[in-house]
Amino acid sequence: MTKIVPDNLTISEVGHLPVIKDFAKRIRLVETLDAMVDSQMELSPGITVLAMVLDTLSGRTPLYRLEEFFEEKDVELILGHDVKPELFCDYNVGRALDKIYDAGPQKIFSQVAQNAIGVFGVDPRRVHFDTTSISVFGDYDFIDPPLKITYGHSKDKRPDLKQFLISMLCVDRNVPILGATKDGNASDKTLNNELLGGVSKHMARHGLKPGAFVYVADSAFVTPDNLQEAKEKNVKFLTRLPATYKECARAISDAVLTDNWIDFGKLNETPATQKRPAASYRGFETTVELYGDSYRAIVVNSSAHDKRRHKRIDRLLEQKRKELEAHCKKVNSGPFFCQADAQAAVEKISKAAAGSYYRLRYDIKEISKYPRGRPAKETTRAPIGYEYHLDIQIDVDTEAVYSMRLEAGCFVLISNLSTKQEQNQWTGESLLELYKDQSGIEQNFGFLKDPVIVNSIFLKKPTRIEVLGLVLLIALLIWRLIERCMRQYLDKTKSEITGWKKRPTKRPTSFMMTTKFLSILVAKSGKRRQLVKPLRPVQKEFLQAMGVNPEVFVNP
């Protein structure tokens, strides 16, 4: 049988991996790692991490059987170096991870992130901090480990599993610039305090002095130590005041009572749908006193908040009504024999209704009592006595319920951006938008919480968990940079790109991009490569939006 395909011709599926390699090249990933990690291994640390990043972003089970993964790939094309797949055996990769740990994963990622901020012009003035827990299976009882894998408050709702924490610092909503693994039982309040002590020094690497950036964190930030640390280090912050503070309830009550709201409008970035309409916001500026210091406060009312809590309020009102009806039935169990007794019953029921979000309407009816028998003809029937019946109607106190529903839809943001200049620069609306960007870092955690990753073959040593965190953070950094490039291009050109179901979109995602390049096949003969099929228009669209040259699919 005549051969159709020459012996020296190979065809491999590369998908979107050349795009990932291009972004890794822009942030000098391989060069940075090789310069910072002391290693004489044939498999360099930079190539190892790039290979693990490509594997993580390949869409398959990540960080598992790297050697098998690269056997089917054009290694030189997607790595930029002609490396034998057998070099990615478990032993070599494990040794490389150990070398990287010795060099300091946090230090390495900080440098890679600094490269990225410089190359892509990321604005580092808006800083977001948060933590998440990573649940793991099995025993991790090591002697003197770098971090404790133990039981703690599980954000995965798995208190039965041991865990460790990942803390992350992001800028420009969701671009990570700092990440670390922490003990499984570490407190968010303590971690905030630890970071506050060095965040100014870290941000100085990006050319920002204390006071030139805003540190955004969730409500765990609000502790005496953290507020004092921010004051001493001149760190400008924005956070949410916990509802457990009396000042939170007071500020909300004042806002509702004053009823002098500033309309912020709808701040949604994604299009609203019938099932998920856009929330409307309004705010009220005031101040709160915490631990002897005054802070700027913005009471925010959200229509979405109202809808989420309506059912709970309805249940409360139903419960209160049933309690009030039972009390009325007990007190008003029969007729009263004098008007004073009926009036006393009314006062007793009114006292029970106070604060129940209901009002009473009542009527005391006087009923005459007559003797038995038919009266004589042409005589007037004279009553022998009187009894009094109480008619009670229970009505909702609409004013009180309105205030309760309004307060339930409120939360309080606090900040030390309180000078006149800072208030002009950071209006209540812009502070709310900044706090809403905290969702970006929460979305990042979903990327890092794959249980297959954290229980993979490379975690025989606890030190490798920290290096694994480095690999995942670098993968996440590239993932977000791709998404950011596409959206910035579309915003700049005021154009759209082909999204899901061939519908145009202004907010493409990195995952959306990967689905457009599933069928990319590259044919190689000797050192020459060419695409098996030409790039489709939609693929060229995405490459243009990312600023990637199509040559990445044929040139290493």
Side-chain angles (χ1 to χ4, degrees), residues 64-104:
Y64 183 62
R65 296 179 178 173
L66 280 178
E67 186 176 351
E68 290 182 16
F69 175 68
F70 284 104
E71 281 177 354
E72 304 298 325
K73 302 296 180 185
D74 186 338
V75 179
E76 185 180 16
L77 178 64
I78 63 175
L79 286 179
H81 296 77
D82 192 8
V83 181
K84 296 178 182 178
E86 53 266 27
L87 287 179
F88 292 105
C89 63
D90 296 343
Y91 177 76
N92 282 348
V93 173
R95 285 182 60 205
L97 294 182
D98 294 337
K99 292 287 186 180
I100 294 170
Y101 174 78
D102 293 337

Side-chain angles (χ1 to χ4, degrees), residues 279-427:
S280 297
Y281 295 92
R282 52 183 182 166
F284 175 82
E285 289 255 3
T286 183
T287 59
V288 295
E289 297 288 331
L290 298 175
Y291 309 109
D293 289 315
S294 178
Y295 296 94
R296 181 184 176 191
I298 298 93
V299 180
V300 180
N301 176 254
S302 163
S303 62
H305 242 79
D306 289 343
K307 291 177 181 178
R308 286 197 298 267
R309 299 185 180 180
H310 271 332
K311 290 185 179 180
R312 191 176 73 178
I313 293 174
D314 290 341
R315 288 195 299 268
L316 173 64
L317 291 175
E318 183 65 23
Q319 179 186 351
K320 291 287 185 182
R321 187 181 187 93
K322 288 180 178 179
E323 291 174 356
L324 196 55
E325 287 175 343
H327 190 71
C328 288
K329 187 176 181 179
K330 181 179 179 181
V331 174
N332 189 24
S333 58
F336 299 93
F337 298 102
C338 70
Q339 189 167 4
D341 287 347
Q343 189 63 45
V346 168
E347 292 175 0
K348 191 173 183 180
I349 296 172
S350 297
K351 188 176 181 180
S356 66
Y357 303 103
Y358 287 96
R359 289 178 176 174
L360 299 182
R361 286 188 294 114
Y362 67 91
D363 183 27
I364 301 175
K365 297 180 179 179
E366 185 182 68
I367 308 296
S368 299
K369 300 292 291 183
Y370 296 93
R372 291 183 179 182
R374 182 177 296 177
K377 289 184 177 181
E378 298 179 356
T379 61
T380 304
R381 191 180 190 193
I384 60 174
Y386 299 92
E387 65 181 25
Y388 298 87
H389 291 258
L390 195 55
D391 184 20
I392 299 176
Q393 297 292 327
I394 302 174
D395 298 325
V396 175
D397 186 346
T398 54
E399 187 176 338
V401 171
Y402 172 77
S403 296
M404 178 178 65
R405 290 189 186 277
L406 193 59
E407 290 184 10
C410 294
F411 59 93
V412 180
L413 300 178
I414 63 170
S415 176
N416 56 356
L417 292 163
S418 51
T419 67
K420 191 69 176 177
Q421 181 181 356
E422 289 169 342
Q423 289 187 32
N424 290 335
Q425 180 183 0
W426 292 99
T427 63

Side-chain angles (χ1 to χ4, degrees), residues 150-153 163 165 182-191:
T150 184
Y151 298 104
H153 174 66
Q163 64 180 25
L165 299 185
K182 300 292 182 180
D183 294 346
N185 57 359
S187 165
D188 280 9
K189 297 178 180 179
T190 304
L191 295 177

Side-chain angles (χ1 to χ4, degrees), residues 49 52-53 56 63 97 466-476:
V49 170
M52 295 176 76
V53 167
T56 301
L63 306 183
L97 294 182
E466 290 204 30
V467 185
L468 176 67
L470 166 69
V471 173
L472 296 179
L473 284 170
I474 292 173
L476 175 61

Side-chain angles (χ1 to χ4, degrees), residues 419-484:
T419 67
K420 191 69 176 177
Q421 181 181 356
E422 289 169 342
Q423 289 187 32
N424 290 335
Q425 180 183 0
W426 292 99
T427 63
E429 181 178 347
S430 61
L431 286 177
L432 174 59
E433 288 181 318
L434 178 59
Y435 188 76
K436 279 172 63 66
D437 282 344
Q438 188 76 354
S439 62
I441 192 172
E442 293 168 359
Q443 291 169 1
N444 284 347
F445 287 141
F447 183 96
L448 303 176
K449 293 171 81 72
D450 188 337
V452 177
I453 296 174
V454 297
N455 291 285
S456 67
I457 194 170
F458 300 115
L459 300 190
K460 292 178 180 178
K461 295 182 179 180
T463 55
R464 293 178 184 175
I465 293 178
E466 290 204 30
V467 185
L468 176 67
L470 166 69
V471 173
L472 296 179
L473 284 170
I474 292 173
L476 175 61
L477 174 64
I478 292 174
W479 199 247
R480 294 309 180 202
L481 290 174
I482 291 173
E483 189 172 271
R484 182 177 181 274

